[in-house]
Amino acid sequence: MPDGPKRILVSMQSTAPPGSVWHTVVALAANSQADVECIYMEDVRLLQAALSPAARFLSPQGQQQSFANQGAMRRAIRVSAQRAREASASALARASIRWSFRSLSGAVLTDAFAGAGTGDLAIVPLRADRSNLRQVEGLIDELSDQIGRAHV
């Protein structure tokens, strides 16, 4: 059995990772015979924001503006998750990689990796605009703390 991770966990928020990330994931999974688990984070803070009377919903094209509500926000999140799932399928199925996809409601990246274990590799793509940098740093801090507590 090849060395490497047993499972590769890929976090997705609002969109699927870019092609360069998939290239790396496919190479790692193929070399280690690891399964890939794609985890789409449904940001509960968006649903909470939709409750505000001042909240507005813009279409992806920025053309329509309407009052936001949780129903519309849930539908938008489901559409986004479906697109991320399709991108995952396209990237991983072509390479004959065993993979799964799940959506998870949460507010922080640590929620996505709560089920990670020894031998798992977590991949969190940094957005081009670095808007998720604080979440990535928080995840690194949390995982470092967990490792430290495990070795005490």
Side-chain angles (χ1 to χ4, degrees), residues 1-43:
M1 182 169 166
D3 290 334
K6 296 176 185 173
R7 204 169 47 145
I8 300 171
L9 309 174
V10 182
S11 169
M12 295 182 225
Q13 296 175 304
S14 71
T15 60
S20 59
V21 171
W22 288 123
H23 178 74
T24 302
V25 169
V26 166
L28 286 168
N31 289 334
S32 64
Q33 298 178 352
D35 292 342
V36 175
E37 184 174 331
C38 304
I39 305 166
Y40 182 87
M41 287 298 297
E42 297 175 353
D43 194 335

Side-chain angles (χ1 to χ4, degrees), residues 1-3 6 11 16 26 35 37-38 43 55 58 66 74 78 80 85 100 105 119 123 127 137-138 141 143:
M1 182 169 166
D3 290 334
K6 296 176 185 173
S11 169
V26 166
D35 292 342
E37 184 174 331
C38 304
D43 194 335
L58 297 175
S66 63
R74 285 185 198 281
R78 276 197 301 269
S80 179
R85 186 184 196 297
S100 62
S105 293
I123 296 180
R127 293 181 183 155
E137 290 172 338
D141 290 345
L143 293 175

Side-chain angles (χ1 to χ4, degrees), residues 28-152:
L28 286 168
N31 289 334
S32 64
Q33 298 178 352
D35 292 342
V36 175
E37 184 174 331
C38 304
I39 305 166
Y40 182 87
M41 287 298 297
E42 297 175 353
D43 194 335
V44 295
R45 295 170 299 184
L46 292 174
L47 295 173
Q48 292 165 348
L51 293 174
S52 168
R56 299 287 184 267
F57 182 78
L58 297 175
S59 71
Q61 298 78 24
Q63 297 169 341
Q64 299 175 353
Q65 184 176 7
S66 63
F67 291 102
N69 62 56
Q70 281 195 328
M73 188 63 67
R74 285 185 198 281
R75 284 187 296 278
I77 289 171
R78 276 197 301 269
V79 167
S80 179
Q82 182 59 33
R83 288 183 182 142
R85 186 184 196 297
E86 290 166 0
S88 303
S90 176
L92 299 169
R94 280 191 311 249
S96 299
I97 303 292
R98 290 181 314 272
W99 68 282
S100 62
F101 181 94
R102 65 183 169 110
S103 292
L104 178 67
S105 293
V108 293
L109 285 173
T110 51
D111 295 341
F113 299 115
T118 303
D120 288 344
L121 172 65
I123 296 180
V124 183
L126 185 61
R127 293 181 183 155
D129 64 1
R130 301 172 62 90
S131 61
N132 66 336
L133 180 61
R134 291 187 72 199
Q135 279 195 316
V136 172
E137 290 172 338
L139 175 64
I140 292 168
D141 290 345
E142 176 65 26
L143 293 175
S144 296
D145 289 348
Q146 286 179 15
I147 292 167
R149 288 191 299 267
H151 292 298
V152 173

